[in-house]
Amino acid sequence: MRPGLRVWARRAAAFGLCLLTGCDGSGVLSGGDDPAPPPPASRPAILVTPGDGSREVAPEGPVKVTVAPGGRLESVRFRDNKGAELPGTLAEDGASWTPDGLLPLGGTFSLDASAVDRDGARATRHSKFSTIAKARTFVAFFTPEDGSTVGVGMPVSLRFSRPIADRAAVERAVRVTAEPAVPVAAHWFGDQRLDFRPEQYWAPGTKVGLALRFKGLQGAPGELGTQTKDVRFTVGRSQVSVVDLDEHTLTVRQGGKVVRRLKISGGTPEHSTYLGAMVVSEKFKVTRMNSQTVGLGDEYDIKDVPHAMRLTTSGTFIHGNYWADPEVFGNDNTSHGCIGLADAKGGGAAETPAGWLFEHTLTGDVIEVRGSAGEAVPPHNGLNGWNLPWAQWLAGSALVPGGPATPAPSVSPSGSSAAASSAAPATSAGARPAPGASGTPGVSGTRGASATARASAPPAGSPTVH
């Protein structure tokens, strides 16, 4: 073929190919359909808390995986440093995931999440973090003691070693049972005390059980309970005594029957004795009362007050008095707030009025004080919640709507108080327990030292009773 014909043939072939396949003005070949769209560029945004590399994470976290609107989590794998998977819960809409329960202390964890958006685009996120090696802990000191026999007025009282933020969770972890059965309700006095009692005094012979299930429970952020404890005690005979400050008498009733009437001396008008139902929480055969601990200077320091029984945390006692003129008993109120009875020095005389009462009194027995003058005892001052009407007591539970939110005022000794101490051992479990409280799980004890007493030592020759 001649050269000219060959050029013409090549041009014709190229023109025919354009007709068959399509050709734009630039000479680039193209198909007959629209070009395919590029792959999706969007990705679902995943947020993992805590971030990768975080340390000292609290056992309660927060640990959470969330995905931006329009996305949905497909899978979340949460594992410890041994590769064991830890359980968690995915929200129904797939928008979030959280672990089930608290994280172990001192662990390292990895979290891998994948998500997809509405366009089918997928994304993944990885986070590795570690928890704190040791959390702060709390325990409850309980009253009364395991295995004890108590009076009909003894509540179940718990004092916590640390302030409780989640009162509802802690309250749910406590169970108080009674046989024969009777409704028992809880009441918070501030954020470190929780008491339980029935509407009326316990029936004699009642068997009471207390179950504490605080181990692993979060009482406040970063603070875990360590306690699992069962306590049982028995309610003894009924003894409810009545003090009449106007008549200067104490009438002792057992089972509703009068067994003895004793002469007493109460507080002066300037230092009046509290009125109301007060529960004996501690007993000391001999104790010390010192005015310096309550801001009364060097007015008194009695090192051997006999037959002392505590009625309030602030220091009201009913106790023996060997230094006063015996004539004041039954005739005058001359103390700084305590209730005094005639006694002998040393605390060994069981036949004196104070000695007899001491020997016939259980912790948990009730002393009801009446008079024409004086202030009502605050319910949180001692084991004296019986002075709250039942409706108010029920309102103090954290499990009822509008439950407690404001701590009760703390008890501070007034000028009508003094200090008492004894050789009773102290209990330690991170904080000092309440009188007669028990300490660490499985360990119990009683605090007596540095307790406050409403009492006063007289000047020489003075008939004042304390």
Side-chain angles (χ1 to χ4, degrees), residues 214-234:
F214 299 140
K215 189 172 184 179
L217 177 70
Q218 180 175 279
E223 299 180 1
L224 302 180
T226 61
Q227 205 170 15
T228 298
K229 180 70 177 177
D230 291 294
V231 177
R232 293 174 179 83
F233 62 91
T234 302

PDB file of all heavy atoms in Angstrom, residues 214-234:
ATOM      1  N   PHE A 214     -21.079  -4.218 102.431  1.00  0.00           N
ATOM      2  CA  PHE A 214     -20.425  -3.041 101.860  1.00  0.00           C
ATOM      3  C   PHE A 214     -19.233  -3.383 100.974  1.00  0.00           C
ATOM      4  O   PHE A 214     -18.706  -2.490 100.316  1.00  0.00           O
ATOM      5  CB  PHE A 214     -19.948  -2.116 102.980  1.00  0.00           C
ATOM      6  CG  PHE A 214     -21.045  -1.590 103.856  1.00  0.00           C
ATOM      7  CD1 PHE A 214     -20.874  -1.490 105.224  1.00  0.00           C
ATOM      8  CD2 PHE A 214     -22.250  -1.192 103.308  1.00  0.00           C
ATOM      9  CE1 PHE A 214     -21.881  -1.008 106.033  1.00  0.00           C
ATOM     10  CE2 PHE A 214     -23.275  -0.707 104.110  1.00  0.00           C
ATOM     11  CZ  PHE A 214     -23.090  -0.610 105.484  1.00  0.00           C
ATOM     12  N   LYS A 215     -18.777  -4.616 100.955  1.00  0.00           N
ATOM     13  CA  LYS A 215     -17.557  -4.941 100.229  1.00  0.00           C
ATOM     14  C   LYS A 215     -17.714  -4.640  98.740  1.00  0.00           C
ATOM     15  O   LYS A 215     -18.616  -5.137  98.075  1.00  0.00           O
ATOM     16  CB  LYS A 215     -17.187  -6.407 100.430  1.00  0.00           C
ATOM     17  CG  LYS A 215     -15.810  -6.745  99.886  1.00  0.00           C
ATOM     18  CD  LYS A 215     -15.386  -8.149 100.272  1.00  0.00           C
ATOM     19  CE  LYS A 215     -13.963  -8.438  99.796  1.00  0.00           C
ATOM     20  NZ  LYS A 215     -13.518  -9.795 100.195  1.00  0.00           N
ATOM     21  N   GLY A 216     -16.808  -3.802  98.225  1.00  0.00           N
ATOM     22  CA  GLY A 216     -16.841  -3.422  96.819  1.00  0.00           C
ATOM     23  C   GLY A 216     -17.867  -2.360  96.484  1.00  0.00           C
ATOM     24  O   GLY A 216     -17.954  -1.930  95.330  1.00  0.00           O
ATOM     25  N   LEU A 217     -18.631  -1.901  97.471  1.00  0.00           N
ATOM     26  CA  LEU A 217     -19.655  -0.892  97.232  1.00  0.00           C
ATOM     27  C   LEU A 217     -19.039   0.496  97.267  1.00  0.00           C
ATOM     28  O   LEU A 217     -18.238   0.808  98.152  1.00  0.00           O
ATOM     29  CB  LEU A 217     -20.753  -1.003  98.284  1.00  0.00           C
ATOM     30  CG  LEU A 217     -21.874   0.027  98.213  1.00  0.00           C
ATOM     31  CD1 LEU A 217     -22.749  -0.234  96.991  1.00  0.00           C
ATOM     32  CD2 LEU A 217     -22.728  -0.015  99.482  1.00  0.00           C
ATOM     33  N   GLN A 218     -19.429   1.327  96.322  1.00  0.00           N
ATOM     34  CA  GLN A 218     -18.918   2.694  96.283  1.00  0.00           C
ATOM     35  C   GLN A 218     -19.786   3.585  97.158  1.00  0.00           C
ATOM     36  O   GLN A 218     -20.958   3.811  96.874  1.00  0.00           O
ATOM     37  CB  GLN A 218     -18.902   3.222  94.854  1.00  0.00           C
ATOM     38  CG  GLN A 218     -18.370   4.646  94.742  1.00  0.00           C
ATOM     39  CD  GLN A 218     -18.261   5.092  93.306  1.00  0.00           C
ATOM     40  OE1 GLN A 218     -17.309   4.769  92.607  1.00  0.00           O
ATOM     41  NE2 GLN A 218     -19.250   5.833  92.857  1.00  0.00           N
ATOM     42  N   GLY A 219     -19.187   4.100  98.237  1.00  0.00           N
ATOM     43  CA  GLY A 219     -19.919   4.990  99.115  1.00  0.00           C
ATOM     44  C   GLY A 219     -19.797   6.443  98.704  1.00  0.00           C
ATOM     45  O   GLY A 219     -20.675   7.253  98.986  1.00  0.00           O
ATOM     46  N   ALA A 220     -18.690   6.755  98.041  1.00  0.00           N
ATOM     47  CA  ALA A 220     -18.419   8.095  97.523  1.00  0.00           C
ATOM     48  C   ALA A 220     -17.402   7.912  96.402  1.00  0.00           C
ATOM     49  O   ALA A 220     -16.771   6.853  96.300  1.00  0.00           O
ATOM     50  CB  ALA A 220     -17.885   9.012  98.613  1.00  0.00           C
ATOM     51  N   PRO A 221     -17.248   8.892  95.518  1.00  0.00           N
ATOM     52  CA  PRO A 221     -16.285   8.741  94.423  1.00  0.00           C
ATOM     53  C   PRO A 221     -14.901   8.347  94.924  1.00  0.00           C
ATOM     54  O   PRO A 221     -14.318   9.015  95.772  1.00  0.00           O
ATOM     55  CB  PRO A 221     -16.286  10.131  93.764  1.00  0.00           C
ATOM     56  CG  PRO A 221     -17.655  10.659  94.032  1.00  0.00           C
ATOM     57  CD  PRO A 221     -17.997  10.158  95.412  1.00  0.00           C
ATOM     58  N   GLY A 222     -14.395   7.225  94.418  1.00  0.00           N
ATOM     59  CA  GLY A 222     -13.076   6.761  94.784  1.00  0.00           C
ATOM     60  C   GLY A 222     -12.989   6.095  96.145  1.00  0.00           C
ATOM     61  O   GLY A 222     -11.887   5.806  96.613  1.00  0.00           O
ATOM     62  N   GLU A 223     -14.122   5.824  96.794  1.00  0.00           N
ATOM     63  CA  GLU A 223     -14.123   5.240  98.130  1.00  0.00           C
ATOM     64  C   GLU A 223     -14.999   3.996  98.147  1.00  0.00           C
ATOM     65  O   GLU A 223     -16.202   4.067  97.865  1.00  0.00           O
ATOM     66  CB  GLU A 223     -14.611   6.256  99.158  1.00  0.00           C
ATOM     67  CG  GLU A 223     -13.706   7.489  99.226  1.00  0.00           C
ATOM     68  CD  GLU A 223     -14.182   8.506 100.228  1.00  0.00           C
ATOM     69  OE1 GLU A 223     -15.215   8.259 100.890  1.00  0.00           O
ATOM     70  OE2 GLU A 223     -13.524   9.559 100.366  1.00  0.00           O
ATOM     71  N   LEU A 224     -14.389   2.857  98.481  1.00  0.00           N
ATOM     72  CA  LEU A 224     -15.072   1.569  98.413  1.00  0.00           C
ATOM     73  C   LEU A 224     -15.206   0.958  99.793  1.00  0.00           C
ATOM     74  O   LEU A 224     -14.317   1.075 100.637  1.00  0.00           O
ATOM     75  CB  LEU A 224     -14.293   0.606  97.506  1.00  0.00           C
ATOM     76  CG  LEU A 224     -14.060   1.045  96.062  1.00  0.00           C
ATOM     77  CD1 LEU A 224     -13.273  -0.026  95.309  1.00  0.00           C
ATOM     78  CD2 LEU A 224     -15.387   1.317  95.365  1.00  0.00           C
ATOM     79  N   GLY A 225     -16.313   0.268 100.008  1.00  0.00           N
ATOM     80  CA  GLY A 225     -16.507  -0.466 101.243  1.00  0.00           C
ATOM     81  C   GLY A 225     -15.681  -1.740 101.251  1.00  0.00           C
ATOM     82  O   GLY A 225     -15.380  -2.315 100.199  1.00  0.00           O
ATOM     83  N   THR A 226     -15.308  -2.194 102.436  1.00  0.00           N
ATOM     84  CA  THR A 226     -14.506  -3.413 102.576  1.00  0.00           C
ATOM     85  C   THR A 226     -15.172  -4.430 103.496  1.00  0.00           C
ATOM     86  O   THR A 226     -14.576  -5.454 103.802  1.00  0.00           O
ATOM     87  CB  THR A 226     -13.121  -3.076 103.163  1.00  0.00           C
ATOM     88  OG1 THR A 226     -13.283  -2.489 104.454  1.00  0.00           O
ATOM     89  CG2 THR A 226     -12.366  -2.126 102.260  1.00  0.00           C
ATOM     90  N   GLN A 227     -16.396  -4.164 103.905  1.00  0.00           N
ATOM     91  CA  GLN A 227     -16.994  -4.888 105.013  1.00  0.00           C
ATOM     92  C   GLN A 227     -18.114  -5.827 104.581  1.00  0.00           C
ATOM     93  O   GLN A 227     -19.023  -5.442 103.854  1.00  0.00           O
ATOM     94  CB  GLN A 227     -17.553  -3.855 106.001  1.00  0.00           C
ATOM     95  CG  GLN A 227     -17.691  -4.279 107.419  1.00  0.00           C
ATOM     96  CD  GLN A 227     -18.025  -3.088 108.287  1.00  0.00           C
ATOM     97  OE1 GLN A 227     -18.410  -2.018 107.792  1.00  0.00           O
ATOM     98  NE2 GLN A 227     -17.888  -3.227 109.585  1.00  0.00           N
ATOM     99  N   THR A 228     -18.048  -7.056 105.068  1.00  0.00           N
ATOM    100  CA  THR A 228     -19.164  -8.001 105.017  1.00  0.00           C
ATOM    101  C   THR A 228     -19.292  -8.567 106.415  1.00  0.00           C
ATOM    102  O   THR A 228     -18.388  -9.232 106.910  1.00  0.00           O
ATOM    103  CB  THR A 228     -18.905  -9.120 104.000  1.00  0.00           C
ATOM    104  OG1 THR A 228     -18.782  -8.553 102.687  1.00  0.00           O
ATOM    105  CG2 THR A 228     -20.067 -10.109 103.995  1.00  0.00           C
ATOM    106  N   LYS A 229     -20.404  -8.284 107.074  1.00  0.00           N
ATOM    107  CA  LYS A 229     -20.513  -8.622 108.490  1.00  0.00           C
ATOM    108  C   LYS A 229     -21.957  -8.933 108.847  1.00  0.00           C
ATOM    109  O   LYS A 229     -22.887  -8.278 108.366  1.00  0.00           O
ATOM    110  CB  LYS A 229     -20.020  -7.436 109.334  1.00  0.00           C
ATOM    111  CG  LYS A 229     -20.085  -7.650 110.835  1.00  0.00           C
ATOM    112  CD  LYS A 229     -19.065  -8.662 111.296  1.00  0.00           C
ATOM    113  CE  LYS A 229     -19.084  -8.826 112.815  1.00  0.00           C
ATOM    114  NZ  LYS A 229     -18.145  -9.857 113.272  1.00  0.00           N
ATOM    115  N   ASP A 230     -22.140  -9.946 109.694  1.00  0.00           N
ATOM    116  CA  ASP A 230     -23.452 -10.285 110.248  1.00  0.00           C
ATOM    117  C   ASP A 230     -23.392 -10.143 111.761  1.00  0.00           C
ATOM    118  O   ASP A 230     -22.472 -10.667 112.407  1.00  0.00           O
ATOM    119  CB  ASP A 230     -23.856 -11.705 109.867  1.00  0.00           C
ATOM    120  CG  ASP A 230     -24.139 -11.831 108.379  1.00  0.00           C
ATOM    121  OD1 ASP A 230     -25.121 -11.220 107.915  1.00  0.00           O
ATOM    122  OD2 ASP A 230     -23.387 -12.532 107.689  1.00  0.00           O
ATOM    123  N   VAL A 231     -24.357  -9.438 112.324  1.00  0.00           N
ATOM    124  CA  VAL A 231     -24.417  -9.167 113.747  1.00  0.00           C
ATOM    125  C   VAL A 231     -25.786  -9.612 114.271  1.00  0.00           C
ATOM    126  O   VAL A 231     -26.802  -9.403 113.598  1.00  0.00           O
ATOM    127  CB  VAL A 231     -24.211  -7.661 114.041  1.00  0.00           C
ATOM    128  CG1 VAL A 231     -24.343  -7.358 115.522  1.00  0.00           C
ATOM    129  CG2 VAL A 231     -22.857  -7.199 113.509  1.00  0.00           C
ATOM    130  N   ARG A 232     -25.789 -10.215 115.435  1.00  0.00           N
ATOM    131  CA  ARG A 232     -27.054 -10.614 116.065  1.00  0.00           C
ATOM    132  C   ARG A 232     -27.030 -10.211 117.529  1.00  0.00           C
ATOM    133  O   ARG A 232     -26.014 -10.364 118.207  1.00  0.00           O
ATOM    134  CB  ARG A 232     -27.269 -12.126 115.932  1.00  0.00           C
ATOM    135  CG  ARG A 232     -27.481 -12.577 114.499  1.00  0.00           C
ATOM    136  CD  ARG A 232     -27.552 -14.097 114.378  1.00  0.00           C
ATOM    137  NE  ARG A 232     -27.777 -14.514 112.992  1.00  0.00           N
ATOM    138  CZ  ARG A 232     -26.820 -14.638 112.086  1.00  0.00           C
ATOM    139  NH1 ARG A 232     -25.570 -14.366 112.426  1.00  0.00           N
ATOM    140  NH2 ARG A 232     -27.099 -15.002 110.863  1.00  0.00           N
ATOM    141  N   PHE A 233     -28.156  -9.693 117.997  1.00  0.00           N
ATOM    142  CA  PHE A 233     -28.265  -9.375 119.415  1.00  0.00           C
ATOM    143  C   PHE A 233     -29.692  -9.655 119.878  1.00  0.00           C
ATOM    144  O   PHE A 233     -30.610  -9.832 119.069  1.00  0.00           O
ATOM    145  CB  PHE A 233     -27.857  -7.925 119.696  1.00  0.00           C
ATOM    146  CG  PHE A 233     -28.705  -6.870 119.034  1.00  0.00           C
ATOM    147  CD1 PHE A 233     -29.819  -6.332 119.683  1.00  0.00           C
ATOM    148  CD2 PHE A 233     -28.378  -6.390 117.771  1.00  0.00           C
ATOM    149  CE1 PHE A 233     -30.594  -5.353 119.069  1.00  0.00           C
ATOM    150  CE2 PHE A 233     -29.144  -5.406 117.151  1.00  0.00           C
ATOM    151  CZ  PHE A 233     -30.258  -4.892 117.805  1.00  0.00           C
ATOM    152  N   THR A 234     -29.846  -9.696 121.187  1.00  0.00           N
ATOM    153  CA  THR A 234     -31.132 -10.045 121.792  1.00  0.00           C
ATOM    154  C   THR A 234     -31.614  -8.897 122.663  1.00  0.00           C
ATOM    155  O   THR A 234     -30.826  -8.277 123.393  1.00  0.00           O
ATOM    156  CB  THR A 234     -30.997 -11.315 122.653  1.00  0.00           C
ATOM    157  OG1 THR A 234     -30.513 -12.379 121.833  1.00  0.00           O
ATOM    158  CG2 THR A 234     -32.334 -11.713 123.257  1.00  0.00           C
TER     159      THR A 234
END
